[in-house]
Amino acid sequence: MKILLDLDSTVTACETLPYIASHFGLSEDIETMTLDAVSGRMDFEESFRQRVAILGKLDVDEVADVVASIPLHNSLATFIKMHADVCAIATSNLNCWCSRLAKELGCTLHSSKAIISGNKIVGISQILDKKEIVCRYQDQEEYVAFCGDGHNDLKGMQASDYAIEVAITHSPIRALTDCARLTVHSEKELTDALNSLLAGKVII
């Protein structure tokens, strides 16, 4: 089995890019664009490129420090650390910003890739295809559970063997609810569900 987890508002207790923007006193538009992308009101890739264009002017190492200190869903973080061989993060966020956090959790990180010059981000070389990551593990004969909360998780959830919609931070999103086997509204519900899956119990 492989458990793939979205990062923002699934593993973390809030959205990462607005958290970064708030820390550095940058545009409040970051939060609006993030919420519009999560809900599907704005094309995710377009929104992501716009937000990275704003935040990419910051020092990469300083942003990575902020991301490493972002509040987590603590019991889920403990679950990941205990089952790091089974868990992996699949995030559209950038490797240069998130790798330190993933290292602390001890799990594999699948993420988007940035073009860096002078320790600033000058572009994006690859935006993660979450469906492709799911299919890659399935090709290795893994049973894949995918946990996500935003519209950009939809294709990964649809391709997975067991999809869990995480409605802890955000209200449920109809498209995700329709494809999910389970919608959880608290961190306890999520960790209980993941423990049941690892125990081989079927969750209806």
Side-chain angles (χ1 to χ4, degrees):
M1 169 177 281
K2 185 63 67 173
I3 297 172
L4 294 179
L5 300 121
D6 173 51
L7 179 64
D8 289 32
S9 295
T10 298
V11 177
T12 65
C14 59
E15 290 291 324
T16 300
L17 300 192
Y19 185 87
I20 295 168
S22 176
H23 179 87
F24 290 99
L26 296 180
S27 171
E28 293 180 0
D29 290 343
I30 294 285
E31 183 169 5
T32 300
M33 286 189 286
T34 298
L35 294 177
D36 285 346
V38 167
S39 66
R41 291 191 298 269
M42 183 176 185
D43 177 75
F44 175 80
E45 184 169 328
E46 177 186 351
S47 168
F48 185 62
R49 290 186 184 279
Q50 289 183 20
R51 287 175 287 159
V52 169
I54 296 170
L55 299 176
K57 298 173 184 178
L58 299 168
D59 182 271
V60 168
D61 291 335
E62 290 183 7
V63 174
D65 287 340
V66 172
V67 173
S69 68
I70 198 167
L72 305 179
H73 288 129
N74 289 325
S75 63
L76 179 60
T78 298
F79 176 91
I80 294 170
K81 291 175 182 178
M82 290 177 61
H83 305 286
D85 57 329
V86 174
C87 295
I89 291 172
T91 177
S92 301
N93 214 320
L94 297 172
N95 179 274
C96 60
W97 288 344
C98 301
S99 58
R100 194 175 306 170
L101 174 58
K103 185 176 181 180
E104 290 178 5
L105 291 170
C107 65
T108 299
L109 173 68
H110 302 284
S111 59
S112 299
K113 304 292 190 295
I115 303 168
I116 300 172
S117 178
N119 217 33
K120 314 287 185 183
I121 294 171
V122 296
I124 300 172
S125 59
Q126 178 188 358
I127 295 180
L128 184 74
D129 183 338
K130 296 185 180 182
K131 178 180 177 180
E132 189 274 331
I133 299 300
V134 171
C135 293
R136 185 190 307 175
Y137 281 117
Q138 289 172 331
D139 288 343
Q140 298 170 8
E141 299 186 351
E142 295 278 11
Y143 181 93
V144 179
F146 192 107
C147 307
D149 76 301
H151 202 269
N152 71 312
D153 296 315
L154 180 60
K155 292 182 180 179
M157 291 173 65
Q158 289 173 330
S160 70
D161 299 295
Y162 197 99
I164 299 177
E165 180 187 20
V166 181
I168 301 174
T169 302
H170 304 296
S171 298
I173 298 170
R174 178 61 183 272
L176 301 191
T177 304
D178 288 346
C179 80
R181 290 278 296 277
L182 181 69
T183 297
V184 296
H185 298 88
S186 71
E187 185 179 356
K188 183 179 186 303
E189 287 182 15
L190 177 55
T191 53
D192 285 350
L194 295 179
N195 278 310
S196 292
L197 282 173
L198 282 184
K201 298 176 182 178
V202 176
I203 307 170
I204 304 300

